[in-house]
Amino acid sequence: MLRPGYQDAVSPATEQGSSGRCRARRGWVLAVLSVSLALAAMDTTALNVALPSIGRDLHASTGELQWIVDAYVLVYGSLLLTAGRVADRVGRRKVMIAGLVVFGVTSILAATASSPSILIAMRALMGIGGATLTPTTLAILYDVFPEKAERARAVAIWSGALGLGVAIGPLVGGLLLERFWWGSVLLANVPVVLLAVVGGLAVVPESADPGAPKLDLAGVVLSSGGLALGLWGIIEAPSLGWSSVATLASLAGAVVALVAFVFVERRSDHPMLSLSLYRDRRFALASVVSVLSFFTVFSVLFVLTLYLQLVLGYSPLAAGLRILPAAATILVAAPLSDVISRRIGGKATATIGLLLLAAGSAWLSASSSSSGYTHVAQALVPFGIGIGFVLPPIIEAVLGALPPEMVGVGSAANSTAEQVGGAFGVAVVGSVLTGVVAARLGALARAARVRPGPTSFTKALSLAQRLSPSLRSRVLEAVRVAFASGLHAALPIAAGMSLVAAVVVVLFLPSETRPGRSR
């Protein structure tokens, strides 16, 4: 049984006598939860605009830049279930506050990193703090908003905070990089953490599940290890070779670890992830859609922030500002999705969102070294609307399939699916981009009889700084052309994932209710 916090403090009779005060209190709780979630989500993309600066200052390779993004996302995603379990046992507010503190401290350590390896390690530790925020905030939300219609609106706002955090990350990063060094992007987390901690202690109720099972350490090790090995193999394959011993060994190790994870979970009396959840068709398919849609979102934003700076020549601030159309449309579309879902159903709303997400990604894939920003803006509007339309109905589909006592683990499982999809999106799309850029730069170097030629855009940019102005301009133009070629090859993969997700929704996802009925 759950030990409710807010419902016990505010009984139905009391609510009737002070409904305005209770609604205001819930509003403050929702605000704190949304800020905490947006902070964790924002850090999955905020550092993207700083990647060129990090590459220059820390002499990071393309693979290391991918790991700076994916180290956070990987740990964040792989520990969500563990964090959800711990929160159920010791208290969701306690774990949320502890996670915020860890997030703030490791942000300071990451900001002072002096090498790519140290920064990657600190980003991984930041992921531990971030992992506590998604399952705890959603479980608290379900505790505070027990009535279905009101909860659906709260979930839409919570989902909007998630999508908005992902989209405004590059803008926040750009604003800070305009005046400060790349570490300021990480230090900016600290005041937000302090605000969320104070708000959490002041208004967020405590809740827990004393009967929650103990931690499944074997499941944690196998799932985290399998994901890490898989991501390492995909990210390093362009430089090591897809047929190299190291690449094949890491990918094979990932498969073995994840198969062992399934084996262990099926036989454990306290599994980290109860595989019985996936016997529910609605839950299982909605989780698949979460993986595919976040594959698209994370990979597109990773490539886009580099494209705006390396190809179109914008500063980090200008690049962040030019992603605003996506953030603005998410802010409008996420709350609107609940209204639309009530009329046409969540399944139809999610399908429209996925098609818009695919359309925006496909339009971006047609960008060239000579495309102007208008082309990008035209793609970001459907891209942002798509995110706003997809998240709320899919989250409702996942959690609506579960009994109340399983909402915590269900929310953690869905969040894990999102982050794993995002991590693999950056890895796969980034690796395709890296491979095409390396091949194109290598061909240009051979044609110009340059030995050895640069094998990545970061190395080419470093080389350009040491050349005369006339040669520098030629090298930079070569980088822009090569990067655009890589973008043409990589982003169709991202668009295709959203199209596959749309097919899954249309053909296989069960309808939740008839339009117009309360969910």
Side-chain angles (χ1 to χ4, degrees):
M1 292 292 291
L2 290 172
R3 187 179 72 245
Y6 192 80
Q7 291 96 311
D8 281 352
V10 184
S11 66
T14 304
E15 276 197 55
Q16 292 174 5
S18 56
S19 59
R21 186 166 63 253
C22 292
R23 279 194 295 271
R25 172 78 179 246
R26 289 195 191 101
W28 282 110
V29 172
L30 181 58
V32 171
L33 300 180
S34 298
V35 167
S36 301
L37 178 68
L39 176 66
M42 187 175 68
D43 252 60
T44 60
T45 58
L47 214 57
N48 285 1
V49 292
L51 292 177
S53 300
I54 294 172
R56 288 191 297 267
D57 292 352
L58 301 184
H59 307 290
S61 67
T62 307
E64 286 171 330
L65 293 180
Q66 287 176 258
W67 271 114
I68 288 168
V69 175
D70 264 352
Y72 175 80
V73 177
L74 171 63
V75 175
Y76 181 85
S78 62
L79 293 183
L80 282 165
L81 285 165
T82 304
R85 288 293 194 200
V86 173
D88 284 345
R89 289 177 66 87
V90 306
R92 291 157 187 152
R93 186 180 73 165
K94 290 188 185 73
V95 172
M96 184 185 82
I97 298 298
L100 285 166
V101 172
V102 170
F103 195 87
V105 171
T106 51
S107 293
I108 297 172
L109 296 175
T112 59
S114 58
S115 70
S117 58
I118 294 175
L119 178 55
I120 290 168
M122 291 303 103
R123 288 282 289 170
L125 292 177
M126 286 178 66
I128 297 175
T132 67
L133 300 180
T134 303
T136 54
T137 55
L138 189 55
I140 292 169
L141 184 150
Y142 263 65
D143 190 42
V144 171
F145 295 91
E147 197 274 318
K148 286 187 176 181
E150 191 176 24
R151 187 179 66 204
R153 289 191 291 271
V155 167
I157 293 171
W158 182 91
S159 303
L162 174 63
L164 186 63
V166 170
I168 67 170
L171 172 60
V172 173
L175 285 168
L176 291 165
L177 286 169
E178 187 73 6
R179 293 183 174 273
F180 308 105
W181 93 116
W182 59 263
S184 63
V185 179
L186 297 160
L187 287 180
N189 294 331
V190 177
V192 183
V193 164
L194 292 174
L195 179 66
V197 168
V198 171
L201 293 173
V203 301
V204 174
E206 184 61 279
S207 63
D209 180 6
K214 62 182 180 180
L215 288 180
D216 174 22
L217 295 179
V220 173
V221 172
L222 289 171
S223 61
S224 302
L227 292 172
L229 285 170
L231 286 171
W232 188 90
I234 293 170
I235 287 174
E236 298 298 329
S239 58
L240 297 175
W242 284 96
S243 60
S244 70
V245 173
T247 300
L248 294 177
S250 66
L251 295 177
V255 172
V256 170
L258 294 175
V259 169
F261 170 74
V262 173
F263 181 84
V264 168
E265 295 301 283
R266 291 182 64 181
R267 286 158 179 76
S268 174
D269 58 358
H270 56 280
M272 183 179 76
L273 175 61
S274 176
L275 299 181
S276 63
L277 289 173
Y278 295 94
R279 294 173 187 162
D280 186 290
R281 183 180 173 193
R282 189 177 172 202
F283 180 91
L285 291 174
S287 297
V288 170
V289 173
S290 291
V291 170
L292 297 174
S293 57
F294 271 74
F295 183 108
T296 301
V297 172
F298 277 53
S299 60
V300 168
L301 290 174
F302 174 77
V303 173
L304 178 60
T305 50
L306 292 172
Y307 171 77
L308 288 170
Q309 294 179 74
L310 298 177
V311 179
L312 298 189
Y314 291 115
S315 68
L317 173 58
L321 287 171
R322 280 161 177 79
I323 300 178
L324 268 182
T329 49
I330 291 171
L331 192 61
V332 174
L336 184 61
S337 69
D338 179 59
V339 177
I340 296 174
S341 293
R342 291 175 181 277
R343 293 183 177 274
I344 66 174
K347 180 174 177 175
T349 304
T351 302
I352 294 170
L354 289 164
L355 293 175
L356 288 171
L357 197 58
S361 304
W363 188 253
L364 279 174
S365 73
S367 303
S368 69
S369 59
S370 58
S371 296
Y373 173 68
T374 301
H375 183 91
V376 174
Q378 290 169 343
L380 288 179
V381 172
F383 183 80
I385 295 173
I387 296 173
F389 277 16
V390 168
L391 291 183
I394 291 302
I395 290 173
E396 273 291 290
V398 167
L399 299 185
L402 302 174
E405 65 272 12
M406 297 190 73
V407 165
V409 67
S411 66
N414 181 64
S415 299
T416 300
E418 293 171 350
Q419 298 307 314
V420 168
F424 274 94
V426 172
V428 172
V429 171
S431 293
V432 171
L433 174 71
T434 299
V436 173
V437 169
R440 186 65 182 265
L441 289 175
L444 291 172
R446 288 190 296 273
R449 298 182 180 180
V450 175
R451 295 289 188 274
T455 56
S456 71
F457 58 82
T458 54
K459 291 181 179 179
L461 291 172
S462 178
L463 172 65
Q465 302 306 313
R466 302 193 298 269
L467 300 176
S468 64
S470 59
L471 286 176
R472 183 185 305 133
S473 63
R474 290 173 58 186
V475 171
L476 292 178
E477 178 59 25
V479 172
R480 285 192 286 268
V481 172
F483 192 94
S485 298
L487 182 145
H488 297 159
L491 285 189
I493 299 173
M497 290 298 178
S498 286
L499 286 178
V500 171
V503 171
V504 170
V505 171
V506 171
L507 297 183
F508 304 111
L509 187 68
S511 298
E512 68 290 359
T513 58
R514 298 293 181 188
R517 287 178 57 183
S518 172
R519 289 176 296 161

